[in-house]
Amino acid sequence: MAPQVDVVIVIGSPMSSNSNRLREVAERFGVPAYLVDSAADLDSSWIAGRQRVGVTAGASAPDVLVRQLVERLKQLGAVSVRALHGVEENVVFPLPRGLTRSAT
């Protein structure tokens, strides 16, 4: 996505290595990239004058956070939203032993 946009916003925790890696990859393409926990963390100056804003999320970020960020971008003037197709992953990680409830 990075080569197709003017700035990338990554939703995810600053403690998430996955989220940080997404930001770093965009920056390696020469695209400014920012990591936010939520739509409230978006600084409007990051997107000022930008025509194409890419939004992505870390692996553990809920979809609702992505939708809220898209809504925030619309409030700030985004005219259209387009999903980019990529590889869909359906990976499920089981809880570690000791955190799962045993059937009784």
Side-chain angles (χ1 to χ4, degrees):
M1 161 184 51
Q4 300 174 42
V5 299
D6 301 315
V7 62
V8 172
I9 309 296
V10 179
I11 300 174
S13 168
M15 302 304 287
S16 165
S17 61
N18 172 259
S19 298
N20 277 293
R21 188 73 56 234
L22 290 169
R23 181 187 49 77
E24 291 168 4
V25 167
E27 289 175 341
R28 275 192 229 130
F29 278 92
V31 178
Y34 303 94
L35 179 60
V36 297
D37 268 325
S38 70
D41 297 329
L42 177 67
D43 184 330
S44 61
S45 69
W46 299 341
I47 61 168
R50 311 286 182 163
Q51 295 295 312
R52 297 165 297 165
V53 177
V55 174
T56 189
S60 60
D63 285 343
V64 67
L65 295 180
V66 175
R67 288 191 301 270
Q68 289 171 347
L69 180 60
V70 169
E71 285 306 312
R72 176 79 175 119
L73 290 167
K74 287 179 180 178
Q75 291 170 0
L76 293 171
V79 176
S80 66
V81 176
R82 177 172 58 108
L84 298 178
H85 299 284
V87 176
E88 185 172 329
E89 297 178 351
N90 295 306
V91 179
V92 176
F93 296 97
L95 288 173
R97 281 187 189 182
L99 293 181
T100 58
R101 288 192 228 176
S102 59
T104 55

